[in-house]
């Protein structure tokens, strides 16, 4: 309200309303976060633009899964320096997983003086407060380390009306040896079934026909709640009037059990597509990665789904060049990929990182 009031005071409403540009790096969860970032910007009186040169507010939502993603984000943030020089009223903020690392937030504060604030993955809801602070002359803010609570009721701005993200949980407890996510998104936190179902109804009412349920390992949902799991949520979503197609985010193969598959096999809303985060087909490498399954368990999960769901298709992620991986390990992965008959394989070279 404070930001919108400042815009009204300056006569910036309607056609003259200031514009906001949101740039997204990374995963589906980041895309979902960016829809909330854009929704908050609209609530503050901004209109969304796809051209940063038009924007009075530039927000960059970053990724930290691979070092390349961080370097690319920093390079692009550097390119916005000339926009700030040309128009000192431009506000530049940086959010997402990269700035959840204190050393990156400190780097932005020290080396990017035209960046006004950062907001970590647990602090998206504080965006209006941060923008209001800049407009009121309260200076730059670079604190990270949100409490990890779930802020409900944040508005969204979707570019595609029929397609929507629906986060059912945040964070991860796995602490795989290659992954930074538990450090940038925190421990697993499940939303209540009531909050999920209420948002699903809102999405349907707004025209969404294709909804993806998101979580770092979406089938970990409910472990911190007790008495509810992903199967329960899917069964309840399937009964919502007007529900269209429902997809699932990344699944942990170790959590795909017969009871879960039996419960979801005949749901009319569920797309017959599952993304399994394999990473390697070598048991030795999977152990080094501290994954909670081996290649046999992963293949059993695929065969279980294939036996129960007609025309089911699978996609996956694979890391190549993990420290210590041998040619034999690599060939085991190739063999697994052939046997699994994945529709798509997202292949990444291992990204060497500090820690």
């Amino acid at each position: 309200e404070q930001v919108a009031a400042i815009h009204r005071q300056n006569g910036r409403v309607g056609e003259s309303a200031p514009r906001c540009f949101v740039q997204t790096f990374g995963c589906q969860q980041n895309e979902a976060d960016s829809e909330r970032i854009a929704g908050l910007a609209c609530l503050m009186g901004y209109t969304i633009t796809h051209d940063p040169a038009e924007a009075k507010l530039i927000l960059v939502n970053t990724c930290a899964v691979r070092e390349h993603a961080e370097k690319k984000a920093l390079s692009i943030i550097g390119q916005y320096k000339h926009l700030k020089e040309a128009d000192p009223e431009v506000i530049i903020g940086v959010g997402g997983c990269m700035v959840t690392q204190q050393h990156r937030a400190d780097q932005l504060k020290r080396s990017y003086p035209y960046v006004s604030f950062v907001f970590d993955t647990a602090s998206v809801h504080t965006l209006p407060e941060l923008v209001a602070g800049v407009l009121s002359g309260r200076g730059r803010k670079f604190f990270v380390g949100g409490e990890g609570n779930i802020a409900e009721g944040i508005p969204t701005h979707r570019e595609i009306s029929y397609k929507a993200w629906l986060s059912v949980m945040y964070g991860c407890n796995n602490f795989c040896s290659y992954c930074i996510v538990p450090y940038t998104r925190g421990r697993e936190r499940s939303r209540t079934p009531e909050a999920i179902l209420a948002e699903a109804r809102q999405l349907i009412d707004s025209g969404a026909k294709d909804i993806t349920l998101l979580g770092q390992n979406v089938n970990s949902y409910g472990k911190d709640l007790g008495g509810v799991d992903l199967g329960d949520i899917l069964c309840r979503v399937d009964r919502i009037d007007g529900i269209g197609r429902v997809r699932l985010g990344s699944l942990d193969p170790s959590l795909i059990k017969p009871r879960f598959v039996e419960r979801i096999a005949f749901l009319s809303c569920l797309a017959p597509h599952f993304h399994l985060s394999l990473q390697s087909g070598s048991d030795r490498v999977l152990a080094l990665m501290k994954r909670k399954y081996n290649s046999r368990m992963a293949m059993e999960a695929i065969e279980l789904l294939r036996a129960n769901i007609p025309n089911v298709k699978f996609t996956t992620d694979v890391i190549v060049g993990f420290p210590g991986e041998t040619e034999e390990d690599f060939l085991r992965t190739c063999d697994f990929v052939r046997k699994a008959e994945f529709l798509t394989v997202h292949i990444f070279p291992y990204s060497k990182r500090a820690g």
Side-chain angles (χ1 to χ4, degrees):
E1 290 177 357
Q2 183 180 352
V3 175
I6 293 172
H7 293 327
R8 288 194 297 271
Q9 182 180 338
N10 294 329
R12 293 172 176 170
V13 294
E15 291 296 323
S16 64
R19 291 176 171 81
C20 173
F21 173 72
V22 181
Q23 182 150 20
T24 309
F25 295 90
C27 65
Q28 293 176 334
Q29 187 61 66
N30 272 29
E31 292 183 34
D33 287 347
S34 286
E35 289 187 349
R36 285 167 167 74
I37 290 168
L40 286 169
C42 292
L43 202 63
M44 289 186 281
Y46 291 90
T47 59
I48 303 302
T49 178
H50 297 289
D51 183 359
E54 295 180 349
K56 288 290 188 181
L57 177 62
I58 297 174
L59 300 170
V60 184
N61 189 13
T62 62
C63 175
V65 169
R66 293 184 296 150
E67 189 174 37
H68 175 72
E70 290 190 9
K71 289 182 175 178
K72 186 175 181 180
L74 290 169
S75 174
I76 288 178
I77 294 166
Q79 294 172 28
Y80 294 145
K81 177 182 179 180
H82 74 278
L83 297 178
K84 180 73 171 180
E85 290 175 341
D87 182 358
E89 290 188 358
V90 169
I91 299 172
I92 300 173
V94 182
C97 290
M98 185 183 80
V99 302
T100 304
Q101 305 166 94
Q102 187 65 54
H103 73 279
R104 287 300 193 194
D106 292 341
Q107 180 184 4
L108 287 166
K109 182 178 182 180
R110 181 180 62 251
S111 303
Y112 296 74
Y114 44 90
V115 172
S116 294
F117 58 81
V118 301
F119 55 101
D120 62 24
T121 56
S123 303
V124 171
H125 61 287
T126 68
L127 183 60
E129 178 186 350
L130 293 167
V131 174
V134 177
L135 291 173
S136 302
R138 293 200 293 266
R140 305 168 78 206
K141 189 166 183 178
F142 286 78
F143 171 78
V144 296
E147 293 297 319
N149 297 323
I150 297 176
E152 297 288 0
I154 299 177
T156 60
H157 173 85
R158 304 201 314 273
E159 294 290 336
I160 304 174
S161 62
Y162 65 84
K163 185 175 181 180
W165 311 112
L166 174 51
S167 297
V168 300
M169 63 178 297
Y170 300 94
C172 185
N173 290 352
N174 286 344
F175 288 91
C176 300
S177 61
Y178 60 83
C179 187
I180 200 170
V181 166
Y183 304 97
T184 59
R185 288 198 171 269
R187 295 298 187 96
E188 289 177 358
R189 306 175 310 283
S190 299
R191 298 177 67 193
T192 65
E194 293 75 20
I196 294 168
L197 294 170
E199 184 173 348
R201 293 186 186 97
Q202 290 173 358
L203 292 171
I204 294 166
D205 290 344
S206 68
K209 302 294 185 185
D210 193 307
I211 300 174
T212 301
L213 305 188
L214 293 180
Q216 205 62 42
N217 292 304
V218 71
N219 48 343
S220 290
Y221 172 80
K223 285 185 175 182
D224 54 329
L225 297 179
V228 63
D229 59 19
L230 182 63
D232 297 317
I233 292 297
L234 286 169
C235 289
R236 293 173 70 173
V237 167
D238 190 63
R239 294 194 292 268
I240 298 176
D241 289 340
I243 189 69
R245 181 60 59 90
V246 173
R247 305 178 189 276
L248 297 177
S250 184
L251 295 168
D252 183 334
S254 69
L255 298 177
I256 299 175
K257 304 297 185 183
R259 172 164 165 73
F260 170 71
V261 175
E262 289 167 5
R263 293 182 68 193
I264 69 171
F266 300 103
L267 297 180
S268 59
C269 71
L270 188 62
H273 162 237
F274 298 90
H275 185 82
L276 307 181
S277 51
L278 176 67
Q279 308 305 352
S280 175
S282 163
D283 291 346
R284 194 181 72 85
V285 173
L286 288 171
L288 290 172
M289 290 178 170
K290 297 186 179 178
R291 301 295 278 175
K292 295 181 179 180
Y293 55 86
N294 56 33
S295 60
R296 175 186 56 79
M297 294 166 64
M299 186 58 73
E300 286 176 353
I302 290 171
E303 291 173 348
L304 180 63
L305 288 163
R306 192 166 274 152
N308 285 274
I309 299 178
N311 303 313
V312 67
K313 301 296 181 184
F314 301 97
T315 55
T316 196
D317 303 313
V318 168
I319 295 173
V320 175
F322 186 82
E325 182 184 53
T326 65
E327 181 71 11
E328 182 180 356
D329 293 321
F330 174 73
L331 292 175
R332 288 183 185 276
T333 299
C334 293
D335 185 53
F336 190 103
V337 168
R338 277 190 290 269
K339 289 179 180 177
E341 298 180 339
F342 291 113
L343 186 67
T344 304
V345 183
H346 304 278
I347 307 171
F348 303 93
Y350 175 75
S351 178
K352 188 175 181 180
R353 310 299 301 280

